[in-house]
Amino acid sequence: MTQPDDQERVIRRAVCPGSFDPVTNGHIDIISRASQLFDEVVVAVGVNKNKSRGRLFTAEERISMLEKVCADFPNVTVASFEGLLTTFCEERGIGAIVKGLRAVSDFDYELQMAQMNSSLVDVETVFIPTSPEYSFLASSLVKEVATFGGDVSSLVPADVLTLLTARLAERAREQDE
Ligand code: PNS
């Protein structure tokens, strides 16, 4: 059987989209496993101007944190997108959307999004089951626990923990003023 030469080989690109406010060890687990499955992975931070007031970190800060934690994965890059994820996929020649599934409760909404996205453009959604040790992990819970002084050091990378602690302290000072 003839093998296609390198120039003909199709590059399999995937996107790992999310808010990443902030990136957690659960996200990194999914990104790392996606990087084994695809030639190129783009971690894409969704920027929704209507939701930006509810975010703890700006899009630039979230991107910068992701760039640091993804630096060890040679085929992973970080970007942001506004608007539809499917438009981003079309513009970048991305054929797969990778989503982590933590529990059955994630499935209904993720299935709906997957079907909507594939109705819009030619894109597949690939679900990766979250590793059991991260099945309870969500950025929103990390923020809540850390706000009330809980220990989240095993749930986020060390650099993220430092930034998270500093930002929450900043917010607490602002509220006291
Ligand atoms: O980390 P999150 O908040 O679960 O990420 C959600 C995200 C950014 C992946 C999702 O909201 C999204 O894809 N937003 C882009 C807008 C879009 O394409 N909406 C149609 C979805 S069917």
Side-chain angles (χ1 to χ4, degrees):
M1 204 170 81
T2 54
Q3 295 290 327
D5 65 27
D6 278 350
Q7 281 185 337
E8 286 172 5
R9 202 171 75 88
V10 175
I11 296 172
R12 296 193 182 278
R13 289 193 191 93
V15 62
C16 290
S19 307
F20 303 105
D21 186 42
V23 58
T24 68
N25 290 342
H27 292 129
I28 298 167
D29 172 51
I30 298 297
I31 294 165
S32 156
R33 288 158 66 198
S35 77
Q36 311 273 316
L37 294 173
F38 293 91
D39 298 316
E40 293 177 10
V41 173
V42 184
V43 178
V45 177
V47 180
N48 181 339
K49 292 213 168 97
N50 296 325
K51 289 192 184 166
S52 62
R53 282 177 67 87
R55 302 281 182 221
L56 188 60
F57 293 102
T58 65
E60 291 73 24
E61 288 168 333
R62 286 178 273 150
I63 290 167
S64 159
M65 283 186 259
L66 280 162
E67 280 173 345
K68 272 196 189 135
V69 300
C70 293
D72 291 339
F73 307 121
N75 60 340
V76 175
T77 54
V78 182
S80 65
F81 72 101
E82 277 185 63
L84 288 177
L85 177 59
T86 48
T87 306
F88 181 82
C89 290
E90 269 188 320
E91 286 169 357
R92 301 261 185 146
I94 292 172
I97 297 168
V98 173
K99 291 291 191 83
L101 279 187
R102 288 167 294 198
V104 177
S105 50
D106 281 343
F107 184 71
D108 278 350
Y109 185 50
E110 290 297 344
L111 178 66
Q112 194 181 14
M113 281 203 284
Q115 291 172 333
M116 174 61 88
N117 284 330
S118 75
S119 80
L120 296 173
V121 301
D122 186 15
V123 69
E124 287 290 353
T125 296
V126 176
F127 294 123
I128 297 184
T130 297
S131 297
E133 66 264 40
Y134 302 126
S135 62
F136 61 92
L137 191 45
S139 298
S140 55
L141 280 184
V142 166
K143 286 183 281 192
E144 186 171 330
V145 170
T147 300
F148 296 110
D151 180 5
V152 294
S153 58
S154 63
L155 308 178
V156 294
D159 285 348
V160 173
L161 182 66
T162 305
L163 293 167
L164 178 63
T165 309
R167 179 57 46 86
L168 290 174
E170 223 173 83
R171 287 280 167 99
R173 277 197 302 275
E174 281 165 15
Q175 276 174 1
D176 285 347
E177 282 168 13

